[in-house]
Amino acid sequence: MDTDPTDLQALERTLRSMDGTVTTDGPDSSDVAALARTLVADGRGILAADESIGTLDKRLAQVGAEPTAEGRRRYRQWLVTAPGLGRHVSGVILYDETIRQATDDGSPFPEAIAAAGMHPGIKVDTGTAALAGHADEQITSGLDGLRDRLAEYRALGARFAKWRAVIAVGDGRPTEACLVANAQAMARYAGLCHEAGMVPIIEPEVLMDGDHGLEIDLAVTRAALGRTFTALAELDVALDAVLLKVNMVLPGRGSAEDPNDAEVAEATLAALRGSVPAAVPGIVFLSGGQSALDATRRLDAINRMAATDPHGPAPWPLSFSYARALQGPALEVWAGRDDTIEAGQRLLVQRARSIRAAATGSYDPDMEDAAPS
């Protein structure tokens, strides 16, 4: 990574000075900012159910479920209609296929989600491609035609959106070109979301692939966040109406390092402070290859440390936007059978309850054995 530390220090000073007074020009700007706050209020977080067709088919096949359009619909139907899920989950990110489908009673998925007390969202990027001149790095696609697609998704019921960039580490990566190109794309996407009256979730994910250590991951995460918020500021994107989805700071899967939860929490908070302006209404973590219990414990450790940090309490709610850490255990219990749907739903809600407690720093491992509420 070709980055001058003095540049990063100057950038951090600039970000700390941002007061978030920039507002959107659209007629729904106050509503968008209010919804952004709602999505992370009271420890509630987001269920990411936006896996691509190929990814979800693979997971369904692994548990013996039907990897077809109908199989995907049935699975996501019982996820979003799980009784009591809305007490712990504020929003659900959908895939393009799902937002156009309906439940068994004919209710479009966005209507079913809203009826359960949650907000429908939509993944709007179209995947990644090789970055020109940097074939071993990725740029996220999907800006072409995005204005029209956002208008259509808004009409279908979506109230927020998600865009993911991937940042690889090792062998000279990430380059400045990769960091800046992805940051600029996310900023353009965020501005278009505000124009459409939707909350943008920006997700610059530093991947766990590789053998890099915790300190390297911390440096890369700081750099990715710094470039992202610089790009948002340069395009006058309203920071009070944007949510950040980010990785926890962890060593690569191939690393020999094995930090404890407190060390992960300390490194993660160090990456956020000085990189994320206080005007941002909330941060949601991705589970990113962690087990369900690891993602829960570490979120709890982050929130406990954030509340007692000698630098002062964190200025943002620190919540979750989990996919496999929420769905994984329930998916295995269900295994594609009609007679296990209720058991899968109970386990999903139990996981959501535990993770919500972690988002308020009040998780207790005994909650794993308690009945969901």
Side-chain angles (χ1 to χ4, degrees), residues 140-182:
T140 301
S141 305
L143 288 173
D144 289 348
L146 182 57
R147 177 179 278 114
D148 291 339
R149 288 193 293 121
L150 286 170
E152 180 186 16
Y153 288 138
R154 185 72 166 81
L156 288 170
R159 294 297 176 262
F160 67 98
K162 190 199 83 168
W163 179 286
R164 174 178 178 252
V166 294
I167 310 298
V169 183
D171 298 325
R173 300 171 299 180
T175 61
E176 183 72 5
C178 175
L179 294 174
V180 171
N182 278 292

Side-chain angles (χ1 to χ4, degrees), residues 172-197:
R173 300 171 299 180
T175 61
E176 183 72 5
C178 175
L179 294 174
V180 171
N182 278 292
Q184 290 174 342
M186 282 187 286
R188 291 175 61 191
Y189 141 81
L192 287 168
C193 283
H194 285 168
E195 181 183 282

Side-chain angles (χ1 to χ4, degrees), residues 39 44-48 88-93 113 117-121 160:
L39 287 168
R44 291 205 301 168
I46 295 167
L47 168 62
H88 312 295
V89 169
S90 60
V92 181
I93 309 173
I113 290 168
M118 300 176 288
H119 296 280
F160 67 98

